[in-house]
Every structure is written in C-alpha cells, then in structure tokens.
Amino acid sequence: MNVTILAANGQIAHLVEERLLTEPTFKDIQLTLMLRHPERLSKLNDNPWVTLLDGDLTNPTDVIQATKDADLIRSAVVDHDQTNRPTKNIIAAAKLNGVERVVETSLLGLYNEVPGEFGDWNRDYGGTDRSTAGGVWFNLYPLRLPWLNDRPEVNYTLTHRHDQFVGVSGSRRSIADVVCRIIADPSLGANDSLGIGDPTTEGATRPVY
C-alpha cells in the first residue's frame, strides 16, 4: 500500500509516520512524504520504505507528483488558505491520479455542532462561521479536530457529522491513532465526517492543555 502524507513535518504527521514505520500492522506500507525543505526529515533519507519530496500544497504540480502512485492521501494540515488552494489541489490530484481515499483535516465547529459556552467561544475565536465550508471539504475521510494538546495518552470519542461534538480538546496522539486506524481499516470514517475529542474535557469552557 502506498500512502502519501502532505505537509509531512507536522507534530501529528511525525506521530503517524513513526507508527507506520515501526508497527507490524503497517509493515507493507510505502510512504511518500511531501514537505517544504525535506532536509528536516533527513533521518529518513536511507529508509527504503520512504520517499521524501520537496513540495508546496498550493502548487498543483507538486501535489500531483506526490500523489501519482498513492492508494491513500493524508493531508496533515488544516486549510486556512482564503481560496482553499490546498484542498482544491488535493481533490484535483486525487481525481487525476485515481486516488479514492483522502484523509483531510478540518476543525470542530465546521457544522456548528459544538454546544454551549465553549461553542460560542470557539466560533468567536475562529472569527468565522465554518458551517458553509461543507462544499469545500469534499473528501472521503474529513477529520474534525479539537483544540490540541501534547498529553501522552490516547483517549477519544468519535462523533459523526450530525452528532454533537464530545469534548473540547484532545491529544495529538489521539488524532494520530485515528489516522492510523483509517489507514488500516478503509471502512472507518468512509463517507463520514469524524469528530475527535477527549470525553474527559466535556463541559470545559476553554481548551484543556
């Protein structure tokens, strides 16, 4: 199986990459890692399971090149571009290269599914109502992330598009775990929109670090 990770130098991307390269479940996976300045992952230069590419998500040619042999694309960043160039480039590249599995990253509140005081704060802090972004996030495995922390545990509740989001924060390790589970199990999250949150933070009015 060929997996392409775009923006491959992020903290969650590192956690996913480490697991894909060390756990027996993923022993047959070939990784293509696209990032700006790939020398930042030079420790993987001699790994026969890894191909490093210099690329920019806003450059469609780079994205097409990075995904040309992929069975699954993982975009490891939230698209904050005003015209959503990264997302559009990924979708176009997936269609061109025949990649059916795309794991995208979004944020809690995309569908106004976060209740109470924290939901109000989250919308105000974000500055926009993201409920209209659904037409942009056209992909098979969109993940809605909470406010992130670096706690060492893996602990989360998965919710679906029409569910109320559970929790306000979650660990990066938990997000990496969901990504790895999707890579291993194509049925998890397929044609869904998974919210990921630590249930122990439910009811908090601000992010829990």
Side-chain angles (χ1 to χ4, degrees), residues 47-207:
N47 191 311
W49 299 97
V50 176
T51 299
L52 296 176
L53 294 178
D54 190 352
D56 187 330
L57 276 169
T58 64
N59 184 323
T61 301
D62 289 349
V63 180
I64 290 169
Q65 176 65 23
T67 60
K68 64 183 178 66
D69 296 317
D71 298 301
L72 180 145
I73 300 168
R74 162 63 178 155
S75 176
V77 293
V78 176
D79 182 354
H80 291 298
D81 186 77
Q82 289 188 342
T83 58
N84 295 112
R85 288 176 296 170
T87 299
K88 292 174 181 176
N89 289 342
I90 293 166
I91 292 170
K95 289 181 177 178
L96 179 66
N97 290 324
V99 185
E100 295 184 355
R101 300 182 66 198
V102 180
V103 184
E104 274 279 10
T105 305
S106 188
L107 299 171
L108 80 170
L110 183 64
Y111 309 115
N112 286 327
E113 77 281 18
V114 182
E117 180 180 340
F118 180 80
D120 294 339
W121 177 86
N122 186 64
R123 283 189 294 274
D124 293 342
Y125 190 92
T128 59
D129 179 351
R130 291 186 293 273
S131 62
T132 59
V136 173
W137 293 99
F138 173 72
N139 43 68
L140 295 178
Y141 300 83
L143 304 180
R144 285 172 286 125
L145 274 55
W147 287 76
L148 297 171
N149 60 52
D150 289 318
R151 292 185 175 187
E153 74 267 19
V154 172
N155 184 34
Y156 57 86
T157 295
L158 293 178
T159 51
H160 307 280
R161 175 169 181 168
H162 300 292
D163 296 339
Q164 179 175 301
F165 203 94
V166 174
V168 303
S169 295
S171 70
R172 290 178 172 86
R173 290 187 180 276
S174 292
I175 308 306
D177 188 70
V178 175
V179 173
C180 290
R181 287 177 61 192
I182 288 173
I183 291 171
D185 178 5
S187 68
L188 178 64
N191 301 308
D192 200 345
S193 177
L194 295 179
I196 308 165
D198 182 344
T200 67
T201 66
E202 179 69 9
T205 60
R206 294 294 184 273

